[in-house]
Amino acid sequence: MLYLVNLFRHNWIFFALSICISALAAFESGRLLFLLALLLLFSLYKRLLNIHLLLILIVGIGSYSYFFYEANKLSWPVELPALLTWTDEYNINGVMLRGFMINESGEKVYVTYELKNEKEKQRFEAQQLAGTSFIVTGKQVSPSIPAHRYGFSMARYLQSRNARGIIEIQQLQYSHQKKSIMQPIFEQRFQLKRHIVETFPPSLAAEAQALLIGFQENVDDQLNRAYQKLGITHLFAISGLHVALVSFLFFQLLLRLRIRREIATILLLILLPLYAVLAGGAPSIWRAVSVVELIMLAQYFRWKIPMDDALSISFIMFVLLEPGAVFQVGFQLSYLATYSLVYSSRILARYSNFWIQSFYITFVCQILVYPLLLHHFYEISLSSFIANIFFVPLFSFIILPINLFALVLTFLPFPLDSFLFYIYEPLRTALTNFILYIQQPIVQMWNPGKPSIMWLILLYSSVFFALYLLDQHATLKKVFIALILPAFIFHVQPLLHSDLKIAFVNVGQGDCIVIELPHRKSVIVIDAGGILRFEQEEWKERKTVYEVGRQVVVPYLKGRGMQTIDTFVLSHADADHVEGAEEVLREILVKEVHVTPGSIAKPVMNDFLYELEKTNTKLIEKMAGHKWQIGETAFEYLWPLEIEYEGNNDSLVLFVKHNAFRALFTGDLEQEGEKELIQLYEEKLRNIDLLKVGHHGSKTSSIEEFVTVTNPKFAVFMAGENNRYNHPHIDVVNRFEEKNIPYATTGLDGTVEVSIYENQIFIEKSNALFRK
């Protein structure tokens, strides 16, 4: 072993890269193996020994074969009924129990189970399920297709967790409690989770669970988003600094108890992996624990192992054990950020001042991960460069130790914990309020959109070049030019397109349409989707509710790099059109909102109006006759004619004309409104190019005369898959088919993106994109 460590000293990174390339090629495309050739050329440039080059090639090809087999295994069907055992990764939310189970062969599957009644829910909540085996009957289902190209992909998530599929459980029959060395740890984690809830003040419990045992499900969504905007979300995750601090405290405690250093080292080596399981087993934890273990083992056997080698060996072990981990965001960010610190140590060593060194640590980490953050989240926090300098030491050296100390006090028979909480809670609440206050401006987020693979390569090239300049003592001016110039070009490149883009975003049973003018002169959004929410028994209510605006509409806008909406049109006051609007207001700058007269008095608009009061956005009632023009694109409201709001037939109807192209967006207009539209605007609406079919294709809309007159070249039904209303109605669909009018349905075809360039129409459907 010592011979291997010395033979490949400072070269383990090449083997880690070889294995990373092989994993990506096995899961994505074998063509990516050409990167292995580039790695070999780079290895030649670095003058590696011939034996190194040969082993890099052997490792790459060999691991590709292994990963290819593992990737294919994920597509194998799961035999049911089956004996499955719960892992520690599960949660209960409302009536649904979801998580990962493993079969008798140790293979992982994702399962969902609808709880039958409140008593059953209480029974599952009261016990630790990890390690409990059940005989499961049900059916295997395909993962849902993302709502759009920037949406959450369940298939990718399963792949990243090496899970073979989704099982919808119909019946769970208890079998036995599996005995293993991990079981007591799972039980202890479960008990600690409950103990924290029972002993910590409610305002502190969620944070303590996140910092001490890696359980983040109870962290408030608003607070979590505030941390994201400041770029300090990682503080809620157990990181290398957490592990190092816990290891140091435990090691010092053992030494104070007069335990020999060698014995203390062995105990720490044994207990650290157990702590990783207790703390939730996130990639950042295992990365930190494995690196510490390797360094301590090397010291114990008097070997010398450089930090970069320890990190690379840790990476190799992680990927070989769980190949899909290369697609986990936490895994990517954790290793990339750590590599950035290791390989920039020469730069950091130049500065002895704490604040300057803190800035450079933050700077190096942030610039190395920023293209990856854009790839996954489409935005980065500009304030993170400053926020991390203050908040990292605060959380690492004050808040984390206080939580550890408080946890210890809660087990003592004296009320010392109450005294500590009496002092600490108001201070921590004040800090939370301060964080919520300083995160408010949306402008602190840079949102250029999701980079393509080519742009990702270009942005990383600029990052590596900037770090090279920094290492060569170049001036900060040159470093910033190397970083900012490519980032600026990427930011402005959407302004270069000269086509009109119209996207019908798949929000389920609802409407959301995004219109982007050439050169992004203006962005108009019509409606924001939403869900009809019904009162239900308390035990069925979800802890975290599904929000269309936050989880579907905002990611689409941010994925496209849209930081501002010039005109936000709310066609009428129905939940499936406006319920998501408040979430859009929280995340995107909106200049003005257009509503149909009288609609703001409806209760469904209350949350939106409450959020609107916090902004400088104009709210304007619009009706038929209002026109405006931007460049070659003209907009006109054709409906309503009256100021009294009565429902669907008072929807704002927008007519758009761009050169010879004409489009009509009808909201939920029904047959009475359609008849009047034809009478008023027959010539204007005859043989249009694009029609958003009224009221999701309901049989109360799209009357024969209206379809005949408009006779669109392409029509879009905005209706959810398998919706309760059976939209679009079969009679309406037949009406379009009889007239040979091509159409798409968002629930079946996904998000439909229409581009108009020189009067030619190009159509792309997201479901077809994901099925390629």
Side-chain angles (χ1 to χ4, degrees):
M1 181 67 181
L2 179 58
Y3 173 74
L4 286 175
V5 170
N6 288 328
L7 178 64
F8 303 126
R9 188 175 176 82
H10 289 299
N11 292 326
W12 283 96
I13 180 65
F14 292 94
F15 294 100
L17 287 171
S18 176
I19 284 176
C20 182
I21 290 168
S22 299
L24 291 172
F27 283 96
E28 289 293 305
S29 169
R31 288 176 293 183
L32 289 175
L33 283 175
F34 86 91
L35 294 172
L36 203 57
L38 296 179
L39 179 63
L40 288 171
L41 288 174
F42 183 67
S43 303
L44 275 171
Y45 168 74
K46 297 296 287 184
R47 298 182 180 179
L48 266 66
L49 299 175
N50 289 337
I51 188 174
H52 291 165
L53 298 176
L54 179 62
L55 284 173
I56 288 170
L57 184 61
I58 291 172
V59 166
I61 301 301
S63 58
Y64 172 76
S65 301
Y66 164 66
F67 294 143
F68 187 78
Y69 170 76
E70 289 294 316
N72 281 339
K73 232 173 36 169
L74 299 182
S75 62
W76 295 355
V78 178
E79 292 184 9
L80 294 170
L83 181 68
L84 300 179
T85 304
W86 282 104
T87 68
D88 194 34
E89 299 173 89
Y90 70 89
N91 72 81
I92 298 172
N93 192 3
V95 297
M96 296 305 299
L97 167 61
R98 295 183 173 92
F100 290 99
M101 301 182 81
I102 54 174
N103 62 17
E104 292 177 277
S105 302
E107 296 163 333
K108 194 184 294 184
V109 294
Y110 184 81
V111 302
T112 65
Y113 174 65
E114 186 172 350
L115 299 163
K116 302 295 188 292
N117 50 58
E118 185 176 8
K119 191 171 290 185
E120 185 181 40
K121 180 179 181 178
Q122 291 172 345
R123 187 171 73 249
F124 278 120
E125 286 180 329
Q127 61 179 314
Q128 166 60 29
L129 292 180
T132 309
S133 298
F134 290 83
I135 297 172
V136 171
T137 57
K139 62 178 180 178
Q140 186 170 2
V141 297
S142 300
S144 58
I145 294 176
H148 47 72
R149 67 181 73 220
Y150 311 109
F152 171 74
S153 172
M154 188 64 186
R156 174 66 83 196
Y157 174 70
L158 294 176
Q159 190 181 65
S160 73
R161 306 311 300 269
N162 287 85
R164 280 179 57 183
I166 302 175
I167 304 298
E168 286 186 353
I169 298 175
Q170 294 167 350
Q171 188 173 358
L172 278 171
Q173 183 180 344
Y174 175 78
S175 174
H176 64 279
Q177 191 73 35
K178 192 173 182 180
K179 293 182 179 179
S180 70
I181 192 173
M182 308 302 293
Q183 193 56 40
I185 305 173
F186 291 145
E187 183 61 34
Q188 191 58 48
R189 185 168 190 256
F190 180 74
Q191 295 300 334
L192 269 177
K193 192 189 329 178
R194 296 182 65 177
H195 177 78
I196 290 171
V197 170
E198 292 168 359
T199 58
F200 276 61
S203 64
L204 302 177
E207 180 178 86
Q209 287 179 330
L211 291 174
L212 300 177
I213 57 174
F215 184 80
Q216 299 186 36
E217 290 179 17
N218 292 329
V219 177
D220 179 69
D221 283 342
Q222 184 184 5
L223 185 60
N224 198 35
R225 181 57 184 152
Y227 278 75
Q228 289 175 0
K229 287 183 179 179
L230 294 175
I232 55 175
T233 313
H234 59 91
L235 298 178
F236 267 155
I238 296 178
S239 64
L241 198 57
H242 288 61
V243 172
L245 183 61
V246 171
S247 301
F248 174 78
L249 291 174
F250 181 75
F251 192 72
Q252 291 300 316
L253 176 63
L254 293 177
L255 294 180
R256 296 293 181 274
L257 294 174
R258 300 187 179 279
I259 294 174
R260 291 174 53 195
R261 183 174 292 270
E262 292 78 5
I263 302 298
T265 301
I266 293 172
L267 286 173
L268 193 57
L269 284 169
I270 294 170
L271 292 174
L272 269 179
L274 302 181
Y275 170 70
V277 177
L278 184 67
S284 59
I285 302 172
W286 280 116
R287 185 263 308 159
V289 167
S290 58
V291 169
V292 171
E293 293 261 313
L294 287 167
I295 297 292
M296 290 181 66
L297 273 172
Q299 290 177 346
Y300 186 81
F301 290 105
R302 292 179 172 81
W303 299 340
K304 289 185 178 180
I305 179 170
M307 178 62 76
D308 59 336
D309 282 355
L311 187 60
S312 298
I313 294 169
S314 163
F315 179 93
I316 292 168
M317 292 190 301
F318 203 126
V319 177
L320 289 176
L321 288 171
E322 193 169 339
V326 292
F327 297 107
Q328 293 180 25
V329 181
F331 175 86
Q332 295 170 2
L333 294 176
S334 177
Y335 275 95
L336 193 57
T338 309
Y339 272 119
S340 72
L341 293 177
V342 170
Y343 287 113
S344 60
S345 56
R346 284 200 311 177
I347 300 171
L348 301 176
R350 296 176 196 162
Y351 309 100
S352 56
N353 182 280
F354 172 79
W355 296 109
I356 296 176
Q357 195 173 63
S358 296
F359 171 78
Y360 273 100
I361 289 173
T362 301
F363 177 74
V364 169
C365 283
Q366 291 291 325
I367 65 169
L368 199 62
V369 301
Y370 100 80
L372 194 61
L373 288 172
L374 291 181
H375 177 73
H376 288 295
F377 306 112
Y378 329 130
E379 64 181 359
I380 61 171
S381 169
L382 297 177
S383 59
S384 63
F385 292 92
I386 302 299
N388 276 278
I389 294 175
F390 295 98
F391 284 105
V392 168
L394 177 64
F395 270 76
S396 300
F397 303 118
I398 297 177
I399 292 177
L400 175 61
I402 286 176
N403 277 274
L404 280 169
F405 185 54
L407 181 63
V408 173
L409 292 181
T410 59
F411 287 101
L412 299 179
F414 314 106
L416 297 175
D417 57 327
S418 299
F419 178 72
L420 176 62
F421 290 138
Y422 177 77
I423 298 173
Y424 176 64
E425 185 179 15
L427 295 174
R428 187 64 189 86
T429 301
L431 178 63
T432 296
N433 292 334
F434 175 70
I435 290 171
L436 291 173
Y437 175 76
I438 62 174
Q439 62 86 36
Q440 288 179 8
I442 299 175
V443 291
Q444 66 186 292
M445 303 300 293
W446 177 47
N447 171 221
K450 182 176 182 177
S452 63
I453 295 299
M454 184 57 68
W455 267 111
L456 201 60
I457 293 170
L458 290 172
L459 291 175
Y460 262 117
S461 298
S462 76
V463 167
F464 293 137
F465 182 57
L467 289 175
Y468 169 77
L469 291 175
L470 204 58
D471 187 54
Q472 296 300 310
H473 298 269
T475 62
L476 286 178
K477 181 180 178 181
K478 289 182 179 179
V479 173
F480 282 120
I481 289 173
L483 277 174
I484 292 173
L485 185 60
F488 176 76
I489 295 171
F490 173 62
H491 178 81
V492 301
Q493 50 96 20
L495 306 180
L496 304 178
H497 76 80
S498 57
D499 51 341
L500 173 68
K501 298 177 184 290
I502 301 172
F504 298 85
V505 183
N506 180 18
V507 291
Q509 184 63 20
D511 277 18
C512 178
I513 303 157
V514 180
I515 304 173
E516 181 184 356
L517 269 56
H519 309 295
R520 199 166 282 179
K521 291 179 181 177
S522 186
V523 173
I524 296 93
V525 176
I526 305 174
D527 295 326
I531 294 177
L532 292 169
R533 304 193 189 276
F534 303 98
E535 288 190 14
Q536 54 186 348
E537 297 175 67
E538 187 177 346
W539 72 274
K540 292 182 179 181
E541 292 179 0
R542 293 167 56 96
K543 288 182 288 188
T544 54
V545 297
Y546 176 71
E547 296 179 323
V548 172
R550 178 172 60 88
Q551 293 170 255
V552 179
V553 180
V554 168
Y556 184 82
L557 295 171
K558 291 193 172 184
R560 291 274 295 274
M562 294 177 177
Q563 297 174 293
T564 302
I565 296 172
D566 295 279
T567 306
F568 194 5
V569 180
L570 300 182
S571 65
H572 64 295
D574 274 1
D576 56 340
H577 292 251
V578 303
E579 198 252 355
E582 64 186 271
E583 295 130 40
V584 174
L585 276 180
R586 292 192 195 113
E587 297 292 334
I588 308 290
L589 286 171
V590 179
K591 291 183 179 178
E592 64 179 39
V593 178
H594 294 179
V595 296
T596 190
S599 62
I600 59 173
K602 297 298 177 181
V604 73
M605 301 289 281
N606 289 346
D607 290 339
F608 167 75
L609 294 173
Y610 174 76
E611 204 63 41
L612 190 72
E613 289 178 359
K614 304 176 186 177
T615 69
N616 295 320
T617 304
K618 297 177 183 177
L619 178 65
I620 311 170
E621 291 187 336
K622 297 289 183 179
M623 55 192 302
H626 178 79
K627 303 177 183 180
W628 75 100
Q629 183 156 343
I630 303 170
E632 298 171 331
T633 311
F635 300 85
E636 181 181 359
Y637 287 119
L638 305 183
W639 199 260
L641 297 174
E642 301 175 353
I643 61 172
E644 185 178 352
Y645 180 77
E646 295 179 348
N648 290 343
N649 265 323
D650 290 310
S651 296
L652 277 171
V653 175
L654 182 64
F655 178 75
V656 178
K657 187 176 185 298
H658 176 74
N659 295 326
F661 171 83
R662 294 173 299 150
L664 185 66
F665 305 93
T666 58
D668 274 1
L669 197 69
E670 297 185 334
Q671 54 187 353
E672 295 85 357
E674 289 178 342
K675 287 178 182 178
E676 293 201 45
L677 273 186
I678 295 302
Q679 291 175 2
L680 292 169
Y681 310 104
E682 182 172 348
E683 287 307 312
K684 181 176 285 192
L685 299 181
R686 188 174 296 279
N687 300 323
I688 63 174
D689 297 282
L690 179 64
L691 173 67
K692 199 293 290 188
V693 181
H695 201 188
H696 320 290
S698 165
K699 64 180 180 181
T700 62
S701 299
S702 302
I703 58 174
E704 182 79 29
E705 182 186 2
F706 184 78
V707 176
T708 300
V709 171
T710 57
N711 189 32
K713 292 179 182 177
F714 188 69
V716 179
F717 295 98
M718 302 203 73
E721 185 178 11
N722 300 322
N723 63 84
R724 65 168 65 189
Y725 310 101
N726 294 318
H727 291 161
H729 195 274
I730 187 63
D731 292 344
V732 175
V733 172
N734 289 339
R735 198 168 295 150
F736 279 82
E737 289 181 345
E738 287 166 3
K739 298 181 185 301
N740 296 315
I741 298 172
Y743 65 87
T745 304
T746 53
L748 300 176
D749 297 299
T751 293
V752 179
E753 296 177 314
V754 180
S755 297
I756 299 91
Y757 180 72
E758 294 183 349
N759 294 325
Q760 288 185 301
I761 302 175
F762 304 91
I763 299 166
E764 189 170 48
K765 303 169 184 176
S766 68
N767 283 13
L769 184 71
F770 286 112
R771 287 185 178 124
K772 283 181 181 179

